[in-house]
Amino acid sequence: MCTRILWNTNDRAVLTGRTMDWPESTEPVLTVFPRGLRRDGGMLKGTSVVGENPLRWTSGLGSIVTTVYGAGTADGLNEAGLGAHMLYLDGTDLGPRDPGRPGLQIGLWIQFLLDGARTVTEALELLDTCQLVPVELHGFPATVHIALEDASGDSAIVEYLAGERRVHHDRGHTIMTNAPAYDEQLRLLRKEVRTLRELGHVKPGSEVPLPGNVNAVDRFQRAAYFSSLLPEPADDRQAVAGILAVTRNASVPFGAPYREGRFRTYNTEYRTVCDLTNKRYFFELSTSPNLVWAEIDRFDLSPGAPVMTLSPEGTDLVGDVSDRFTRAPAPF
């Protein structure tokens, strides 16, 4: 079900942490895409899924991402410092297909934005150039919304509800989970804050009662509370540690599997951190004891360079793994 947390108020770096909560392995692969790749937005594992008029483009920016099921991009950042994150939203409704508009299968939504936009504003402008088309990934409908942020700290949440796009564009939109829709999440957060103040909890403190469950509303409010308490980091290491601490707090531990009418959420499969200032991408698999990261500036992103990949499954991976990536088999 997932949680995204943006930290854009410290003096060291703009950082985003996210959890990937899912009922099975999404087969995550860390992938580096160079510039100059020709893309077909209608393809899903070699099959056209949008019908006529698929969106086609050539990547203008390199990126480092986490792919899922070998069919789409769930998370990542590009060389300009734009981050993008795909999270589940059960109420997603893209509306009827208009063949007069170029179609983009939704699993490639954020990869399209990372390929062509340097800022949140540019990414939002790209949304008008195509129409999203629903697909299933591994038997699951890809009903999702996305979060965007850039190195300036700007932020946006994009959802499609009742066939209409809703955009929340402001650097204050730092927390995101799942259902209900973002407007309702903000209303519930304001209600919780008012309740706490009525009970005499004017300032954050150890005595403040916090929602402690694993549902999306509780995770949203808990992430908002702890991210507001993050101290100014002394260095980049402390900055990453801070955002990771909040991201881990919002994770769903093993033993809380999806059950209709019970938890309605999934265990956390992995966590990532995007350092948009220093162009570092951190990855932490829940079943691995180690945190790994890669620096996008260490890769050849020029047109014609190979796509590079790394499976995060190896327990021998630790620290900077930029030199552990290998060339992906062609065609990618």
Side-chain angles (χ1 to χ4, degrees), residues 35-315:
R35 308 175 211 110
L37 290 177
R38 295 182 178 179
R39 309 275 201 183
D40 186 326
M43 301 302 290
L44 179 66
K45 289 193 170 183
T47 302
S48 178
V49 293
V50 306
E52 59 183 295
N53 195 16
L55 178 70
R56 294 187 173 94
W57 73 95
T58 299
S59 61
L61 294 161
S63 59
I64 181 168
V65 304
T66 299
T67 61
V68 292
Y69 297 127
T73 297
D75 188 83
L77 76 155
N78 68 19
E79 61 181 309
L82 176 71
H85 321 274
M86 186 181 293
L87 283 73
Y88 187 78
L89 178 62
D90 187 55
T92 297
D93 177 3
L94 301 175
R97 174 77 174 109
D98 176 5
R101 301 182 63 196
L104 173 66
Q105 66 98 338
I106 200 167
L108 293 177
W109 185 5
I110 66 170
Q111 190 60 60
F112 170 58
L113 302 180
L114 292 174
D115 283 353
R118 305 180 69 87
T119 66
V120 169
T121 297
E122 289 182 6
L124 296 177
E125 291 171 353
L126 283 178
L127 296 179
D128 291 327
T129 65
C130 62
Q131 181 186 37
L132 292 175
V133 178
V135 297
E136 288 191 357
L137 294 176
H138 225 248
F140 295 95
T143 52
V144 297
H145 53 171
I146 65 171
L148 303 166
E149 68 278 333
D150 61 35
S152 76
D154 195 11
S155 176
I157 310 296
V158 184
E159 301 175 332
Y160 283 82
L161 303 171
E164 296 184 359
R165 184 170 71 225
R166 298 186 186 180
V167 177
H168 305 268
H169 183 192
D170 186 280
R171 63 182 291 120
H173 298 312
T174 58
I175 309 299
M176 177 180 176
T177 53
N178 318 107
Y182 192 68
D183 275 335
E184 179 65 6
Q185 287 278 26
L186 292 177
R187 187 190 72 80
L188 291 171
L189 180 62
R190 289 192 294 267
K191 179 181 178 181
E192 176 70 12
V193 171
R194 286 196 303 269
T195 299
L196 290 174
R197 287 175 176 169
E198 289 170 359
L199 293 173
H201 301 291
V202 179
K203 295 181 179 180
S206 59
E207 75 285 355
V208 174
L210 287 179
N213 216 311
V214 294
N215 63 69
V217 173
D218 282 19
R219 285 183 283 112
F220 189 103
Q221 297 190 17
R222 200 161 61 249
Y225 175 85
F226 282 110
S227 62
S228 71
L229 298 181
L230 284 171
E232 182 65 32
D235 51 34
D236 293 341
R237 179 178 177 179
Q238 286 188 12
V240 173
I243 196 67
L244 263 175
V246 180
T247 306
R248 289 165 178 157
N249 183 279
S251 296
V252 180
F254 297 131
Y258 178 87
R259 292 289 185 273
E260 186 68 35
R262 187 181 176 196
F263 288 113
R264 293 186 62 82
T265 193
Y266 303 126
N267 300 324
T268 296
E269 179 188 10
Y270 62 78
R271 287 166 287 271
T272 70
V273 170
C274 290
D275 181 341
L276 304 174
T277 301
N278 298 297
K279 314 301 189 302
R280 295 191 185 104
Y281 190 64
F282 296 79
F283 188 97
E284 182 179 59
L285 195 66
S286 293
T287 54
S288 172
N290 300 328
L291 175 69
V292 301
W293 65 85
E295 301 191 19
I296 194 169
D297 291 341
R298 293 186 57 185
F299 293 90
D300 182 2
L301 303 177
S302 61
V307 174
M308 305 292 286
T309 61
L310 176 68
S311 170
E313 291 285 347
T315 56

